[in-house]
Amino acid sequence: MIGNPKWFGIRKYSGWGLTPNCWQGWAYIGAFLAPVILINSISFDQNIKNLITAIWTGILLIDVVHIMSQIKKDEREMLHEAIADRNALWFMISVLVISVLVKQSVDPIFLTAILGATLIKAVTQFYLRDK
């Protein structure tokens, strides 16, 4: 779309997303941030500001997902990313379980997250075991 996959690398150590690896990547980020800052510094209706910011952010997210899908990774990088995502998921599930135990009540959203993640993990493991 707008950005070039050669300008970015997959973020490895600080979450999910892209990390610029050349000046074009930094210019791309600046080109997306400048209009948001400009729009929010101008005084007019807050609803219009929010709408324009939401549309602009949506365009950015679509483009980032497109760029991330175009970046080629080797087998080792994909395995490392899978292990990191698995560990992050286990941490999130642990926090949700602790939250439910501390509150002594079951919030439907937490329960859905815990049971859903467990179900997805189990189905994935069964599917991959038979491949």
Side-chain angles (χ1 to χ4, degrees):
M1 289 186 53
I2 300 169
N4 189 335
K6 295 177 185 175
W7 300 344
F8 299 95
I10 296 293
R11 185 176 297 161
K12 294 181 182 179
Y13 306 112
S14 57
W16 292 269
L18 298 172
T19 301
N21 58 12
C22 64
W23 70 268
Q24 290 97 334
W26 288 107
Y28 173 86
I29 291 172
F32 267 101
L33 287 179
V36 172
I37 293 169
L38 180 66
I39 289 167
N40 286 308
S41 66
I42 298 172
S43 61
F44 57 92
D45 186 33
Q46 187 65 35
N47 291 333
I48 295 173
K49 284 184 187 182
N50 291 343
L51 178 65
I52 294 170
T53 302
I55 291 170
W56 195 248
T57 303
I59 292 169
L60 173 63
L61 289 176
I62 290 169
D63 200 39
V64 166
V65 169
H66 179 259
I67 292 170
M68 289 176 70
S69 70
Q70 299 298 313
I71 294 176
K72 304 294 182 216
K73 294 182 277 189
D74 63 17
E75 188 175 318
R76 181 173 175 254
E77 288 175 322
M78 288 190 295
L79 178 63
H80 288 187
E81 186 176 344
I83 291 169
D85 285 345
R86 180 203 62 199
N87 293 343
L89 175 64
W90 278 113
F91 175 78
M92 288 187 280
I93 290 173
S94 300
V95 169
L96 289 172
V97 168
I98 291 168
S99 173
V100 168
L101 293 174
V102 168
K103 288 170 108 177
Q104 297 297 321
S105 64
V106 179
D107 185 359
I109 295 173
F110 286 156
L111 185 61
T112 303
I114 292 168
L115 295 177
T118 304
L119 178 67
I120 289 170
K121 181 178 180 356
V123 169
T124 303
Q125 290 294 343
F126 284 128
Y127 176 76
L128 293 175
R129 181 190 66 191
D130 295 335
K131 270 196 139 194

